[in-house]
Amino acid sequence: MKPSELHDMSTEDLNTKLQEARTELFNLRFQMATSQLDNTARVKVVKKDVARISTELREREIEAEKKAAKAS
């Protein structure tokens, strides 16, 4: 998932994507532990997606806090 795609998504969509990615990562780790995972590179991709989504959500939180501080 590209960062530009994340910027265009709503916060609710990002939270949904984050939950899906974390679930997929859990399943991939479980498959790796039981030696059923064929594509081990997928773990790295999903971990990066989780990090990108988390970063975007945190940036939005910080921006909202800055706006709230300016308003008061």
Side-chain angles (χ1 to χ4, degrees), residues 21 25 29 42-52:
L25 184 59
R29 286 180 175 158
R42 182 74 181 140
V43 175
K44 185 176 180 180
V45 171
V46 175
K47 285 173 76 173
K48 285 186 178 185
D49 284 346
V50 168
R52 283 188 187 109

Side-chain angles (χ1 to χ4, degrees), residues 54-70:
S54 297
T55 301
E56 179 65 28
L57 287 170
R58 182 63 182 145
E59 286 175 356
R60 290 182 185 193
E61 285 179 21
I62 291 170
E63 193 65 33
E65 289 173 2
K66 285 181 182 178
K67 288 180 182 178
K70 285 182 181 179

Side-chain angles (χ1 to χ4, degrees), residues 9-22:
M9 297 177 95
S10 69
T11 304
E12 295 83 24
D13 290 339
L14 285 174
N15 284 325
T16 303
K17 284 282 188 185
L18 181 61
Q19 187 62 35
E20 290 171 0
R22 285 184 173 162

Side-chain angles (χ1 to χ4, degrees), residues 32-46:
M32 192 183 320
T34 59
S35 300
Q36 295 177 347
L37 185 62
D38 295 328
N39 185 6
T40 57
R42 182 74 181 140
V43 175
K44 185 176 180 180
V45 171
V46 175

